């Protein structure tokens, strides 16, 4: 008799609208997906994503950072919630609090983030406006393991999109967000199946399972001129 492989249990940390969380939830609702969302945690009780998670039957918890005397006390409370639900992989999805070295070390190699740029370019905030100001022709998003320095860490997966004439920060953000929604569940699946394995500062990819990567290049072929 065969039994389905155990699904990796995800904890998703959000601060706001939660569209990446919803994309993960949609992927996890597919029977063959190798991970499930054990809980969603927001650092603000009014984060829109909490209600969206609850509506899908996902345990949604507010751990309000303002209720704690310091950052580590707040992070210990989140860790207690994550551990109580058997979380194995923490996914930051628009979580807007800087994490302390304590939390990053506590969840080392079990903590990933999605960032709206092709890292290591455009770390930090306002990535889309900065990319447009620089006149870049290709933008994108990155899923990476979290290390102490903001927006650094071993890269799991990236997706590229074109920057189009007339783009505004909002139009570019929307195009990248569509790519984010596809990329995050792909990256989680690679980790959950063992197709992506973090070793120190690098993620090793098993090409037999992860494909050659061309499906993550959303930019069109170059036209003849
Ligand atoms: C995304 O662009 C993500 O890359 C960044 O914050 C945004 C969160 O959006 N870290 P959402 O809450 O998932 O809709």
């Amino acid at each position: 008799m065969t039994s389905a492989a155990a699904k990796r249990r995800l904890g998703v940390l959000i601060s706001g609208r939660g569209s990446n969380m919803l994309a993960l939830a949609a992927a996890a609702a597919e029977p063959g997906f190798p991970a499930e969302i054990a809980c969603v945690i927001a650092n603000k009780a009014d984060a829109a994503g909490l209600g969206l998670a609850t509506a899908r039957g996902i345990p949604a918890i507010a751990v309000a950072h303002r209720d704690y005397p310091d950052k580590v006390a707040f992070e210990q409370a989140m860790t207690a919630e994550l551990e109580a639900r058997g979380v194995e992989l923490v996914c930051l999805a628009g979580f807007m609090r800087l994490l302390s070295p304590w939390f990053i070390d506590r969840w080392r190699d079990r903590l990933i983030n999605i960032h709206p740029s092709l890292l290591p370019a455009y770390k930090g905030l306002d990535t889309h406006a900065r990319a447009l100001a620089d006149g870049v022709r290709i933008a994108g998003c990155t899923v990476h393991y979290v290390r102490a320095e903001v927006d650094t860490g071993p890269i799991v997966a990236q997706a590229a999109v074109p920057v189009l004439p007339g783009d505004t920060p909002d139009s570019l953000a929307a195009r990248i967000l569509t790519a984010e929604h596809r990329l995050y569940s792909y990256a989680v699946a690679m980790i959950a199946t063992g197709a992506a394995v973090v070793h120190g500062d690098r993620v090793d990819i098993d090409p037999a399972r992860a494909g050659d990567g061309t499906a993550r290049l959303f930019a069109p072929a170059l036209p003849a001129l």
Side-chain angles (χ1 to χ4, degrees):
M1 195 169 84
T2 59
S3 62
K7 291 176 184 260
R8 293 286 291 276
R9 290 178 67 76
L10 310 178
V12 185
L13 306 192
I14 65 169
S15 294
R17 66 186 169 185
S19 73
N20 276 290
M21 177 276 295
L22 281 183
L24 285 173
E30 297 293 323
F33 195 72
E36 60 191 353
I37 301 183
C39 64
V40 172
I41 297 178
N43 65 301
K44 292 159 38 178
D46 62 355
L50 284 178
L52 298 172
T54 301
R56 284 158 181 77
I58 300 168
I61 307 148
V63 180
H65 63 274
R66 294 222 164 95
D67 291 348
Y68 296 88
D70 57 48
K71 190 185 285 278
V72 170
F74 158 64
E75 293 172 347
Q76 286 172 335
M78 287 199 299
T79 295
E81 296 286 359
L82 294 165
E83 289 186 332
R85 288 163 181 80
V87 167
E88 300 163 281
L89 180 68
V90 177
C91 304
L92 304 181
F95 185 73
M96 299 305 286
R97 304 298 297 175
L98 290 178
L99 294 165
S100 77
W102 177 82
F103 188 87
I104 291 169
D105 190 52
R106 179 71 185 68
W107 291 94
R108 187 181 168 91
D109 293 345
R110 296 184 297 151
L111 175 61
I112 60 175
N113 179 46
I114 187 157
H115 182 75
S117 78
L118 292 171
L119 291 174
Y122 304 112
K123 297 172 181 170
L125 300 174
D126 299 324
T127 54
H128 312 105
R130 288 158 53 212
L132 289 176
D134 285 343
V136 302
R137 297 288 181 249
I138 294 174
C141 51
T142 302
V143 176
H144 63 98
Y145 280 93
V146 174
R147 294 291 187 255
E149 203 182 319
V150 174
D151 297 328
T152 64
I155 290 171
V156 181
Q158 294 184 301
V161 303
V163 177
L164 300 181
D167 259 340
T168 64
D170 283 349
S171 67
L172 180 58
R175 190 174 310 117
I176 292 174
L177 192 64
T178 300
E180 291 183 44
H181 294 162
R182 294 167 62 185
L183 188 71
Y184 215 172
S185 56
Y186 171 78
V188 165
M190 285 212 301
I191 292 168
T193 59
V197 179
V198 61
H199 287 124
D201 293 333
R202 303 262 311 173
V203 173
D204 291 335
I205 301 293
D206 177 354
R209 285 191 280 177
D212 65 5
T214 52
R216 302 193 299 284
L217 289 173
F218 301 148
L222 296 178
L225 293 178

